[in-house]
Structure formats: structure tokens, C-alpha cells
Amino acid sequence: MRIFEPHAHMYSRITDDYERMALSGVEAILEPAFWLGQPRTHVGTFLDYFDALLGWERYRAAQHGIHHFCAIALNPKEANDDRVNAGVVEAMPRYLAKDGVLAVGEIGFDDMTPREEKFFAAQLELARTTDLPALIHTPHRDKKRGVERTLDLLRDVGFPMERALVDHNNEETVGMCTDAGCWIGFSIYPDTKMDEGRMVAILQRWGTDRMILNSACDWGKSDPLKVAKTADRMRRGGYSPDEIEKVVWRNPIAFFAQSGRLVAEDLDRRPVVDGELWQGNSILRGQGA
Amino acid sequence: MTDVENQLVTLVGARARTEGIAWLDAERARIAGGDAAALALAFPAAGRQVGRGGLDAPGATITTPGGEVIPLAAWRVDDAARVVLLLADARRAPAGALARAFTLYQQGDARERCGVLRALSLLPGADADDAAIGAVLDAMRTSQGEVLEAALCDNPYASRHLPPLEWRMAALKVVFVGMSLDRVARVAERADAELAQSLVDLANEREAATRAVPPEMWPVAARFPPPGLAAKLVGYLEHPAVAHRAAAATALGLLLPSTPALRAFLTDRLAREPDAAVQDALRRALAA
């Protein structure tokens, strides 16, 4: 089973997690930019974080045969912080031009403040001008109203629904998203948000079109193998291998391929790790002395 | 347009799709034509446009304005395209080309950084202008082998401008991570007694741990032989690996003028040596 993990905060994980994910079938990861567990006080620390997503995490992943992509954004929590918000959004265009950046995200609402709305809209505009899809966080408190306001804002600014992935859905929000026509994300967590059994029930009720599963695997109690575990639950629930692959592989690829920067066939080749051979040209010494 | 730029465009053309080739032509015309903002946008896009695979040009080389030859065996297609973009930018404004390249390095991902590092010795003023040496020093601190390699291997700019301490650490790091010391530019010219001692110390540490020793360090160490090196090299003349015997023979040739007694060991080995390349190395050593 091939897994495209479309939302994983690998910056928070140890290298062994990459190995376990690779063993569970993960061949590609998209890491959206988010909060780091505590507030940042300088724009520069955001830029160093973005550089890590583009550099070090890609390298760590490649060592385990995993393709690493990312999404760049000012997250909703820190959109409220005037020490950093405007400066980060100002620096974003240069990052959105980078190879391997497949979306603007995570953007969206957290406490649904005016500042969050302002920078959410500003970053949707950045997504539009850079021709990238948007990965959208939704609030964990007041979830239903948060998803409503998210979909309303997308409609108000005329952002194409098929280029929006609205994440962290639950039983109460999934219908709104299927009606709206956006892509529908679910973060499968050990205790909160969504679990494997509930997820399979949702798929049985709403079908598998535009459904995208992730583990989020962040700084809190979370599990980088949750997509594989949910796929296993789907299998036990009677889903065919092809239907499972649609949800955990083809759906996220179809969404992020809208960036024009993700070619599905490229995923058939392992990512290059330095020290390998180029068409027989030895980069390293090439002898076992 | 410089010969090197032309040469690289031809090599990219052999590997990239038609659209990628057209993109590169359009971008370098735009950049050289005076669009100062075009380079920063084109630079990160190069991999998407021309591809990221190996340049696949075994044996191909380019020559710097200072006359130094750079093999392209380790280059990727996007490396070559990014060097072309930087050369086009240098045609637009030769002054400050190295400083602008350094800025791109600081803002670049690993692939972009490799492109900058590989361009440095080809940019105007590279022999005299150390404005971009910060990129090499930064790359020396990375653990990403590809970036380290682009900074230190087949890169005359690093060997031209790194201060003595940093240059020695660079050479040692190349050996330490398993890349060939032969790929460090001007290694024979810049090697000194401290580097020789560090190399032999590394060899001793590896031997103590029963780990492999990189053979190409011997001729470099032999230019400033620490005590005991000759005896160690005589031992390596009997090593089962061809590369070790050949390197030991070459290094012993350097020691022969000051230690004529070594001739007997070289002659003895030559009489028994089955490998043609090692025989050659032994004959060259004896002729020294």
C-alpha cells in the first residue's frame, strides 16, 4: 500500500518516525507550516523554520526513501501576533516560488479574530497569484461555526473550492464541505479530533470522493502511523485495495498536483540522496577501499 | 555570451524537454537584457523546468576564466541551468555578480545552493573577489553531503579563497565523509604539514577501529611526511586493494629522494606486482 501523508509536522518528530512511516508504506509527505508549540517573537525565526522545511526535512525524508514537500504560510494562531504577522506574509512570495512548495498553508481560522480573517484572506490572494492550492486549518473549538466561516470566506473572495483543502473535519462539518465542493481533510489522532473507527464510518456515509486522511503528527499527543492504521481499518471494513489507495494515495496527489509542481510519475522513483551515482558517474569515491 | 555558458546550454539541451530548453533561453535573455528581478524568480524554478537528473556528461569539463578545469561528472541538469542563469546575470552587470550569487545562496534551498556553489569560480572576478566565500563556509557546516560536495569538490573558488585553517578543515572533511581528496582543487599546492599530520591521524584512528582508510590521502600526506609515514606506506604496498598499493607507491615516490633506502621496497614490490596500474605507479615512483 502506497501512502501520501498530506499533513505531517515532521519538524516535531524524531528520525525514527521517518523510518516507521516508510515501513508503513509512506512514500511522500507534505509538511504544512504551522505553529511550533510556543509563539515566535521574530520574523527571522519563521524564515529559519521555512528553510528547515525546504532543506533539512527534505533531506531527512530522502534518507528513508520518502519524498518531502511542504506548504508555506503564516498560521492562524500567530496571525494574531503583530510582532510577526505582516513581516511573515511579506516574505512569503520568495518561499512560494520554491521547488517542492505545493500549497499555501496552513492558513485559516483558529479563534476567528479579525486579524485571522485579514491574513487568511491575504494568503488566499497569495495562493491565487502564485497559482497554488490552499491547505486550510479549522478551529478545534467552535468547529462547526469555524468551518462555516471558512467556506463563507472562500465564497466571498471567490477562491475556487476545488483548490481548497479544508482540514480537521468531523461528523458535524463533513456535509458542509461535501456540499461546498472543496476537498475534505481529516486528522486522525489518538484521542481527539477523529479516530480510525469514526473515520471509516464517515467514509461509509459520505463516500471517498475528495476525502483526504492525515496523521498531522505534531508536537502534541499524535501518531505518525495513523493513516496506515486507518487504511487497515478500511480494509477490515471491507474496502478494496483500490478504494483504499484512492483515499491514501491518489486523492492527495490529485489535490496537490493542482500546484503544477507535483508529477505523479516522479513519485515512482526514490528521491535522490547525495552520495548516489548519476548514470554511473561516481559522486563519491566509488571504491570500497 | 561566454563559451562556458554556451557549453552548458548545449549540455542542458541534451537532457531537458523542449519546453525546458525554451524556458532557459527565454530566462537568460530576460536576465542578461536587464531585468534585475528575473534571476530571483527563475533560480528556484530551474529544477521544475529543466529537470533534476544527472547531467550525464561523463568526461565533460569546463574551464574557468583563470584556466582551471572543472569536471562535470557530479553535476545535475538543474545545476547547469542555474549556472547559466548566473552567467547571464553576470553579463548584465559583471560588478557584484559574486555578491548577488551569495544572496541567492542564503535564500536558496539545497538544490539552489549547489547551483550557486558550482557557479562561483566561473563568475567575473572569481580569482580576486572573495565576496561569496561565506557560501562555502556555510556549506562546510551542513550535513547535506550534496551541498558540501558542491562547495569543496571540483570547486576552484573554495581552494582559492578559503583561509589556511578553513581550507585544511575543508580538505579533512572531504576525506572524512568519504569523498575523494583528489577532487579538492589545488590540493597539492595548498597542502601543508598540519594537513598531512591530520590526515595521518585520521588514518591511524580508522586503522585502530579496523575501518577503511581513504588511499588518496597518502600522496598528499607524503608532501609533508610525519614521522613513521614511510614505514606505514611500505606496509600499504602489500595491501590487497589495488587503490591502496597504487597510492602508497605514488606517495613513496615522493619520499624516495630524501629516503633512498625505500627503493629496495619499491623494486621488490614491482617484481611481484600483478596489477598494471600499480606497476605503472611503482615505475613512476622509481623514476623520481
Side-chain angles (χ1 to χ4, degrees), chain B residues 58-78:
Chain B
T61 60
I62 48 175
T63 304
T64 71
E68 286 162 303
V69 175
I70 300 178
L72 303 180
W75 286 37
R76 300 206 215 176
V77 186
D78 56 329

mmCIF file of all heavy atoms in Angstrom, chain B residues 58-78:
data_model
loop_
_atom_site.group_PDB
_atom_site.id
_atom_site.type_symbol
_atom_site.label_atom_id
_atom_site.label_comp_id
_atom_site.label_asym_id
_atom_site.label_seq_id
_atom_site.Cartn_x
_atom_site.Cartn_y
_atom_site.Cartn_z
ATOM 1 N N PRO B 58 29.722 12.217 -18.841
ATOM 2 C CA PRO B 58 30.978 11.701 -18.273
ATOM 3 C C PRO B 58 32.173 12.212 -19.065
ATOM 4 O O PRO B 58 32.152 12.211 -20.286
ATOM 5 C CB PRO B 58 30.828 10.177 -18.391
ATOM 6 C CG PRO B 58 29.718 9.951 -19.360
ATOM 7 C CD PRO B 58 28.856 11.164 -19.371
ATOM 8 N N GLY B 59 33.154 12.673 -18.357
ATOM 9 C CA GLY B 59 34.351 13.180 -19.031
ATOM 10 C C GLY B 59 34.264 14.633 -19.442
ATOM 11 O O GLY B 59 35.278 15.247 -19.787
ATOM 12 N N ALA B 60 33.055 15.225 -19.444
ATOM 13 C CA ALA B 60 32.931 16.622 -19.852
ATOM 14 C C ALA B 60 33.540 17.538 -18.794
ATOM 15 O O ALA B 60 33.456 17.270 -17.600
ATOM 16 C CB ALA B 60 31.460 16.979 -20.059
ATOM 17 N N THR B 61 34.154 18.601 -19.247
ATOM 18 C CA THR B 61 34.740 19.585 -18.329
ATOM 19 C C THR B 61 34.418 20.990 -18.837
ATOM 20 O O THR B 61 34.092 21.171 -20.011
ATOM 21 C CB THR B 61 36.271 19.457 -18.237
ATOM 22 O OG1 THR B 61 36.821 19.667 -19.547
ATOM 23 C CG2 THR B 61 36.696 18.100 -17.719
ATOM 24 N N ILE B 62 34.518 21.962 -17.951
ATOM 25 C CA ILE B 62 34.524 23.357 -18.371
ATOM 26 C C ILE B 62 35.763 24.009 -17.779
ATOM 27 O O ILE B 62 36.344 23.492 -16.821
ATOM 28 C CB ILE B 62 33.253 24.115 -17.913
ATOM 29 C CG1 ILE B 62 32.982 23.853 -16.435
ATOM 30 C CG2 ILE B 62 32.041 23.737 -18.755
ATOM 31 C CD1 ILE B 62 31.817 24.647 -15.886
ATOM 32 N N THR B 63 36.149 25.124 -18.344
ATOM 33 C CA THR B 63 37.370 25.787 -17.902
ATOM 34 C C THR B 63 37.035 27.180 -17.373
ATOM 35 O O THR B 63 36.307 27.932 -18.018
ATOM 36 C CB THR B 63 38.378 25.897 -19.058
ATOM 37 O OG1 THR B 63 38.594 24.564 -19.563
ATOM 38 C CG2 THR B 63 39.703 26.462 -18.599
ATOM 39 N N THR B 64 37.547 27.496 -16.201
ATOM 40 C CA THR B 64 37.265 28.806 -15.603
ATOM 41 C C THR B 64 38.064 29.883 -16.329
ATOM 42 O O THR B 64 39.045 29.573 -17.027
ATOM 43 C CB THR B 64 37.665 28.836 -14.118
ATOM 44 O OG1 THR B 64 39.096 28.814 -14.045
ATOM 45 C CG2 THR B 64 37.091 27.640 -13.370
ATOM 46 N N PRO B 65 37.696 31.171 -16.158
ATOM 47 C CA PRO B 65 38.484 32.260 -16.751
ATOM 48 C C PRO B 65 39.943 32.196 -16.294
ATOM 49 O O PRO B 65 40.840 32.602 -17.023
ATOM 50 C CB PRO B 65 37.796 33.524 -16.230
ATOM 51 C CG PRO B 65 36.399 33.104 -15.904
ATOM 52 C CD PRO B 65 36.488 31.677 -15.461
ATOM 53 N N GLY B 66 40.193 31.658 -15.099
ATOM 54 C CA GLY B 66 41.557 31.528 -14.600
ATOM 55 C C GLY B 66 42.276 30.306 -15.136
ATOM 56 O O GLY B 66 43.413 30.033 -14.768
ATOM 57 N N GLY B 67 41.613 29.524 -16.009
ATOM 58 C CA GLY B 67 42.267 28.386 -16.642
ATOM 59 C C GLY B 67 42.164 27.084 -15.875
ATOM 60 O O GLY B 67 42.816 26.095 -16.218
ATOM 61 N N GLU B 68 41.351 27.057 -14.822
ATOM 62 C CA GLU B 68 41.228 25.812 -14.063
ATOM 63 C C GLU B 68 40.111 24.948 -14.656
ATOM 64 O O GLU B 68 39.058 25.448 -15.044
ATOM 65 C CB GLU B 68 40.953 26.116 -12.586
ATOM 66 C CG GLU B 68 42.212 26.619 -11.910
ATOM 67 C CD GLU B 68 41.956 27.351 -10.605
ATOM 68 O OE1 GLU B 68 41.211 28.339 -10.600
ATOM 69 O OE2 GLU B 68 42.521 26.924 -9.592
ATOM 70 N N VAL B 69 40.353 23.646 -14.716
ATOM 71 C CA VAL B 69 39.428 22.724 -15.383
ATOM 72 C C VAL B 69 38.481 22.114 -14.341
ATOM 73 O O VAL B 69 38.930 21.608 -13.314
ATOM 74 C CB VAL B 69 40.216 21.619 -16.111
ATOM 75 C CG1 VAL B 69 39.267 20.586 -16.699
ATOM 76 C CG2 VAL B 69 41.083 22.244 -17.206
ATOM 77 N N ILE B 70 37.191 22.193 -14.622
ATOM 78 C CA ILE B 70 36.178 21.654 -13.698
ATOM 79 C C ILE B 70 35.461 20.486 -14.359
ATOM 80 O O ILE B 70 34.768 20.660 -15.354
ATOM 81 C CB ILE B 70 35.140 22.739 -13.339
ATOM 82 C CG1 ILE B 70 35.816 23.930 -12.672
ATOM 83 C CG2 ILE B 70 34.057 22.152 -12.440
ATOM 84 C CD1 ILE B 70 34.864 25.065 -12.336
ATOM 85 N N PRO B 71 35.596 19.263 -13.798
ATOM 86 C CA PRO B 71 34.823 18.129 -14.337
ATOM 87 C C PRO B 71 33.336 18.270 -13.980
ATOM 88 O O PRO B 71 33.008 18.779 -12.904
ATOM 89 C CB PRO B 71 35.430 16.918 -13.638
ATOM 90 C CG PRO B 71 36.371 17.418 -12.611
ATOM 91 C CD PRO B 71 36.449 18.896 -12.664
ATOM 92 N N LEU B 72 32.466 17.821 -14.868
ATOM 93 C CA LEU B 72 31.029 17.982 -14.656
ATOM 94 C C LEU B 72 30.347 16.678 -14.248
ATOM 95 O O LEU B 72 29.121 16.596 -14.235
ATOM 96 C CB LEU B 72 30.369 18.514 -15.933
ATOM 97 C CG LEU B 72 30.930 19.839 -16.460
ATOM 98 C CD1 LEU B 72 30.200 20.258 -17.727
ATOM 99 C CD2 LEU B 72 30.823 20.934 -15.411
ATOM 100 N N ALA B 73 31.155 15.663 -13.890
ATOM 101 C CA ALA B 73 30.584 14.335 -13.641
ATOM 102 C C ALA B 73 29.510 14.345 -12.554
ATOM 103 O O ALA B 73 28.559 13.578 -12.612
ATOM 104 C CB ALA B 73 31.699 13.362 -13.252
ATOM 105 N N ALA B 74 29.649 15.221 -11.550
ATOM 106 C CA ALA B 74 28.696 15.204 -10.435
ATOM 107 C C ALA B 74 27.543 16.186 -10.630
ATOM 108 O O ALA B 74 26.659 16.259 -9.799
ATOM 109 C CB ALA B 74 29.425 15.534 -9.132
ATOM 110 N N TRP B 75 27.556 16.941 -11.711
ATOM 111 C CA TRP B 75 26.529 17.982 -11.897
ATOM 112 C C TRP B 75 25.194 17.375 -12.296
ATOM 113 O O TRP B 75 25.126 16.383 -13.012
ATOM 114 C CB TRP B 75 26.959 18.966 -12.984
ATOM 115 C CG TRP B 75 28.038 19.919 -12.577
ATOM 116 C CD1 TRP B 75 29.101 19.651 -11.769
ATOM 117 C CD2 TRP B 75 28.166 21.295 -12.981
ATOM 118 N NE1 TRP B 75 29.877 20.784 -11.644
ATOM 119 C CE2 TRP B 75 29.340 21.787 -12.376
ATOM 120 C CE3 TRP B 75 27.411 22.131 -13.799
ATOM 121 C CZ2 TRP B 75 29.764 23.114 -12.557
ATOM 122 C CZ3 TRP B 75 27.836 23.442 -13.985
ATOM 123 C CH2 TRP B 75 29.006 23.925 -13.361
ATOM 124 N N ARG B 76 24.123 18.048 -11.846
ATOM 125 C CA ARG B 76 22.791 17.703 -12.320
ATOM 126 C C ARG B 76 22.352 18.729 -13.376
ATOM 127 O O ARG B 76 22.963 19.797 -13.513
ATOM 128 C CB ARG B 76 21.789 17.734 -11.172
ATOM 129 C CG ARG B 76 22.110 16.773 -10.036
ATOM 130 C CD ARG B 76 20.816 16.421 -9.346
ATOM 131 N NE ARG B 76 20.957 16.237 -7.913
ATOM 132 C CZ ARG B 76 19.922 15.997 -7.109
ATOM 133 N NH1 ARG B 76 18.701 15.939 -7.592
ATOM 134 N NH2 ARG B 76 20.099 15.830 -5.814
ATOM 135 N N VAL B 77 21.281 18.404 -14.081
ATOM 136 C CA VAL B 77 20.801 19.291 -15.143
ATOM 137 C C VAL B 77 20.447 20.666 -14.578
ATOM 138 O O VAL B 77 20.773 21.702 -15.163
ATOM 139 C CB VAL B 77 19.571 18.694 -15.858
ATOM 140 C CG1 VAL B 77 19.176 19.564 -17.046
ATOM 141 C CG2 VAL B 77 19.850 17.287 -16.335
ATOM 142 N N ASP B 78 19.783 20.680 -13.410
ATOM 143 C CA ASP B 78 19.403 21.991 -12.857
ATOM 144 C C ASP B 78 20.614 22.757 -12.343
ATOM 145 O O ASP B 78 20.595 23.990 -12.315
ATOM 146 C CB ASP B 78 18.306 21.852 -11.787
ATOM 147 C CG ASP B 78 18.684 20.922 -10.648
ATOM 148 O OD1 ASP B 78 19.434 19.965 -10.883
ATOM 149 O OD2 ASP B 78 18.210 21.158 -9.521
#
